[in-house]
Amino acid sequence: MNYDKLSEEELLNLINMSNLPNHIAIIMDGNGRWAKKRFMPRNFGHQEGMERVIEIVETASQLGIKYLTLYAFSTENWKRPKNEIDGLMKILVLYIKRELDKLCKNNVKLNILGDISALPELARKEVKKAIKNTEDNSGMALNIALNYGSRDEIILAVKGIIKDIEMGNINIEDLNPGIFSNYLYTKNQPDPDLLIRPSGELRLSNFMLYQVAYTEFWFSDVLWPDFKTRKLYEAIIDYQNRDRRFGGI
Ligand code: IPE
Ligand code: IPE
Ligand code: MG
């Protein structure tokens, strides 16, 4: 459907509030190309990307989305030049410094998916503080995937399961998809209903491979720094027009 002629408010009115996706996951991609188009360094694109994180977190929590997962830094992103990685870590610290009070005010609970032990000390410290300060919040759960890789996550789960089997906490026979899920970073959370990837790439890039078994995928050519509130509305409207069968008829 072409939504270009509709205002943001008209789009909002098209959303069925009783059929919202419980869990939305977003692969925030396209910052570098957005900057390149403006003859600016890649980190300029990441800065503008942060503005969209702020906007989309606010929009999702106001809508009443229960879980929002944002893919911010993958286990493969360490391959990038040091200057870009440093810039991304600085932006992470800046984001928390700027937004922590608002997250608390909006009752948002921050979780991290991924191994934060590999982050620079300052970033780790800020992230831990934000997790601690929001731990009792009961509104939207905001998962930020940081140094996240789905294959690493699955291997970590397998290791945890083997340990629990060895210790007699679970029996091999009892292992099932539900129990397996409890060893993932997303334990106790529902699988994403809707996965959004902007920037025109049609791949998962090592993101939530286990959790997206029945997720609806929504792709767009828009680059992440241009992914404003109305794009989220469009994705949700399209999602609500899908027929989710889960293997049934
Ligand atoms: C942001 O977009 C995603 C991150 C890894 C932070 P990119 O930096 O991948 O931008 P493109 O894909 O090069 O345009
Ligand atoms: C995926 O984007 C990772 C994040 C958005 C954090 P990439 O830009 O790293 O993915 P590829 O390399 O194009 O697959
Ligand atoms: Mg990219």
Side-chain angles (χ1 to χ4, degrees):
M1 199 162 141
N2 186 4
Y3 298 113
D4 293 351
K5 290 202 169 66
L6 300 180
S7 69
E8 191 178 299
E9 206 188 326
E10 286 167 326
L11 287 170
L12 178 59
N13 286 332
L14 286 178
I15 295 177
N16 174 359
M17 290 301 170
S18 59
N19 182 29
L20 287 173
N22 230 342
H23 185 169
I24 298 178
I26 307 180
I27 300 174
M28 304 186 291
D29 198 12
N31 296 350
R33 279 163 282 170
W34 185 90
K36 195 173 177 208
K37 270 167 65 180
R38 288 160 179 77
F39 307 101
M40 294 295 280
R42 293 177 58 85
N43 283 339
F44 181 68
H46 295 315
Q47 274 168 28
E48 190 60 23
M50 180 184 83
E51 301 300 327
R52 293 295 88 67
V53 171
I54 292 169
E55 178 174 342
I56 294 302
V57 166
E58 178 123 30
T59 300
S61 98
Q62 272 172 9
L63 265 181
I65 301 300
K66 301 275 188 329
Y67 300 86
L68 176 68
T69 298
L70 302 177
Y71 198 8
F73 193 88
S74 76
T75 46
E76 287 74 32
N77 288 147
W78 296 108
K79 292 176 193 159
R80 296 188 179 199
K82 184 177 183 299
N83 134 66
E84 180 169 348
I85 295 173
D86 289 349
L88 283 164
M89 296 301 156
K90 258 193 205 149
I91 288 170
L92 171 66
V93 171
L94 198 73
Y95 171 73
I96 295 172
K97 282 194 193 296
R98 229 175 98 177
E99 289 301 297
L100 186 53
D101 284 351
K102 208 208 285 164
L103 293 178
C104 290
K105 199 183 99 223
N106 290 340
N107 203 18
V108 173
K109 181 183 161 85
L110 179 74
N111 302 300
I112 298 296
L113 315 182
D115 175 16
I116 60 165
S117 71
L119 300 188
E121 199 183 328
L122 181 61
R124 210 168 54 227
K125 215 180 93 208
E126 287 297 319
V127 164
K128 281 190 179 156
K129 183 175 89 187
I131 294 172
K132 181 112 202 30
N133 289 11
T134 62
E135 70 184 352
D136 295 325
N137 291 351
S138 55
M140 186 175 81
L142 170 63
N143 295 325
I144 300 192
L146 265 181
N147 188 22
Y148 173 88
S150 188
R151 288 182 167 178
D152 277 3
E153 178 186 39
I154 290 169
I155 289 169
L156 199 66
V158 170
K159 285 181 180 167
I161 289 165
I162 292 172
K163 219 180 255 165
D164 274 344
I165 290 172
E166 282 173 356
M167 288 181 13
N169 295 334
I170 51 167
N171 295 316
I172 289 188
E173 297 73 31
D174 294 338
L175 191 59
N176 60 34
I179 292 179
F180 193 92
S181 296
N182 284 330
Y183 289 84
L184 299 171
Y185 289 123
T186 47
K187 60 176 167 287
N188 300 324
Q189 299 191 2
D191 290 338
D193 299 292
L194 171 61
L195 172 80
I196 295 171
R197 183 167 195 162
S199 94
E201 308 299 355
L202 307 178
R203 55 176 171 262
L204 285 173
S205 303
N206 202 10
F207 187 53
M208 296 187 114
L209 304 179
Y210 188 86
Q211 295 93 331
V212 299
Y214 266 105
T215 300
E216 295 296 326
F217 289 11
W218 193 87
F219 296 103
S220 162
D221 287 338
V222 165
L223 303 172
W224 175 251
D226 292 325
F227 195 96
K228 303 209 167 150
T229 290
R230 57 176 298 122
K231 282 288 149 198
L232 185 67
Y233 292 165
E234 289 176 22
I236 293 173
I237 295 163
D238 285 342
Y239 162 84
Q240 292 182 331
N241 286 308
R242 303 265 180 98
D243 182 14
R244 301 186 78 190
R245 289 188 293 276
F246 300 98
I249 51 171

